[in-house]
Amino acid sequence: NQLRAGAAHDNGEHRIHIDYRYLVSGINRTYIAPDPNNRRLLDEGMTWEKQLDMVDDLEKALEVGFDATQSMDWQLAFDELVLKFAPLLKSVSNILNSDGDINESIAINATALTLNFCLRFEAASNNSDEFGSGKDFAVYQYVSPYQALKTDADFLIWSSAVSVVGEIVDVIYKVNDLLIPEVYSFMTDNTTSSDLIKNVETARSTIDGLIESLGWIELNYRCERQCNWDEVCYTPSWGPSPMGMTEPGSHNEGFGTHFDESRQRLVINSKLQCININDLMVNRNH
């Protein structure tokens, strides 16, 4: 799978289990910047009263105690969503951004992916089942919790999953609805409509906008090549790390980072690099 080549890093430590039932976060308390590089919990909207409320919630969670066996494994649930949709979204985007003139082959190749997804959730004989059909059924299948939701935090995380998957499903259906008529016209009459270029461009901007909005590591950060057996696809950190230490607000670019003028801070390059033990030895004093 080309999308996952060299991506054996940053998968988390699955031996560590977390109890998410009493998660304390700033969601629904203050503004959360969509750009994680600019995300600050203690921003202007976080009043002292809101901070005290969060501390109070944390104290209550500590009093209850933690038991991961009673909690939904939300990290696993979201990892599965990424593994399912990242290859599909990236593949459709690559097709719609193909070099050369826009023609019917772009619509045919893109809908070869989107149509199968949409048909999977169509109701038989126009009769919807107990879970609904179409988009509703698609969202249900991918966000249906495998444990009972018990706490406010459970429902907060779940509602976020519903929103994200709902947006993804909407985009897949929109791309399919835009391009399927063009494919049908070409297959039946060997012609396409005068709106072919506009429809492809609309589909392209729609799915690329979704990819940018999601900001998933799997969609934006990866090594350009599959790393060799003695290498890892390295994601920089502030440190201390094997490749040195950097300061987020510094203009001094570290290994694999650059200073972003709009954010006024160091950010990680989207094109990651494969490194091996020799690279670590060269940078050991940095």
Side-chain angles (χ1 to χ4, degrees):
N1 188 325
Q2 185 178 8
L3 185 70
R4 299 178 65 186
H9 64 298
D10 295 338
N11 287 332
E13 178 50 82
H14 296 292
R15 291 175 297 179
I16 298 175
H17 300 284
I18 300 175
D19 186 346
Y20 293 91
R21 293 175 300 161
Y22 303 101
L23 175 73
V24 179
S25 78
I27 299 175
N28 290 345
R29 299 179 194 263
T30 186
Y31 172 73
I32 305 294
D35 182 353
N37 288 291
N38 291 339
R39 194 169 294 161
R40 302 290 181 274
L41 186 58
L42 296 180
D43 60 15
E44 295 179 357
M46 181 58 77
T47 63
W48 179 247
E49 289 74 17
K50 291 179 180 179
Q51 294 179 49
L52 292 178
D53 287 340
M54 291 187 68
V55 172
D56 184 56
D57 289 345
L58 180 58
E59 289 179 347
K60 292 177 181 177
L62 293 173
E63 290 174 357
V64 172
F66 300 94
D67 183 357
T69 63
Q70 300 299 312
S71 170
M72 266 281 294
D73 188 342
W74 287 109
Q75 185 63 58
L76 174 63
F78 279 97
D79 284 347
E80 290 298 319
L81 291 178
V82 172
L83 288 175
K84 167 62 184 179
F85 288 111
L88 175 59
L89 296 178
K90 196 66 174 181
S91 296
V92 174
S93 174
N94 287 341
I95 293 170
L96 295 175
N97 284 281
S98 300
D99 295 331
D101 296 333
I102 293 177
N103 54 44
E104 68 281 350
S105 64
I106 292 179
I108 293 172
N109 292 336
T111 54
L113 300 175
T114 60
L115 180 60
N116 284 336
F117 180 90
C118 297
L119 289 178
R120 178 180 177 184
F121 301 104
E122 287 301 309
S125 303
N126 296 320
N127 293 322
S128 61
D129 57 26
E130 61 179 313
F131 304 119
S133 60
K135 295 180 183 180
D136 291 338
F137 188 20
V139 173
Y140 170 83
Q141 175 164 333
Y142 289 111
V143 301
S144 178
Y146 53 82
Q147 282 187 220
L149 305 180
K150 303 174 183 177
T151 65
D152 290 344
D154 277 338
F155 284 99
L156 179 63
I157 299 172
W158 176 70
S159 66
S160 299
V162 172
S163 297
V164 171
V165 174
E167 185 69 21
I168 293 172
V169 170
D170 282 344
V171 167
I172 294 173
Y173 270 76
K174 181 176 180 178
V175 170
N176 192 71
D177 291 342
L178 281 167
L179 301 183
I180 276 295
E182 302 292 349
V183 175
Y184 180 79
S185 177
F186 181 77
M187 293 297 185
T188 55
D189 301 323
N190 201 34
T191 62
T192 56
S193 76
S194 58
D195 292 329
L196 172 63
I197 294 178
K198 183 183 73 173
N199 289 339
V200 169
E201 290 176 343
T202 300
R204 177 195 301 156
S205 63
T206 299
I207 200 157
D208 287 349
L210 173 64
I211 288 175
E212 181 180 1
S213 175
L214 290 173
W216 288 349
I217 291 175
E218 286 77 1
L219 292 171
N220 298 290
Y221 295 85
R222 60 187 299 269
C223 280
E224 290 187 298
R225 64 179 177 85
Q226 184 171 359
C227 298
N228 295 326
W229 67 270
D230 60 343
E231 297 177 317
V232 295
C233 189
Y234 178 72
T235 302
S237 65
W238 305 133
S241 76
M243 299 301 290
M245 187 168 182
T246 55
E247 292 289 338
S250 171
H251 283 67
N252 298 322
E253 299 178 352
F255 182 85
T257 66
H258 68 279
F259 186 81
D260 188 289
E261 291 291 344
S262 63
R263 298 184 177 106
Q264 286 296 298
R265 62 186 288 110
L266 290 177
V267 297
I268 296 172
N269 299 336
S270 59
K271 295 180 180 179
L272 305 180
Q273 300 179 53
C274 297
I275 65 171
N276 59 24
I277 189 63
N278 294 327
D279 298 307
L280 299 181
M281 296 300 293
V282 170
N283 284 272
R284 67 183 185 276
N285 294 323
H286 292 187

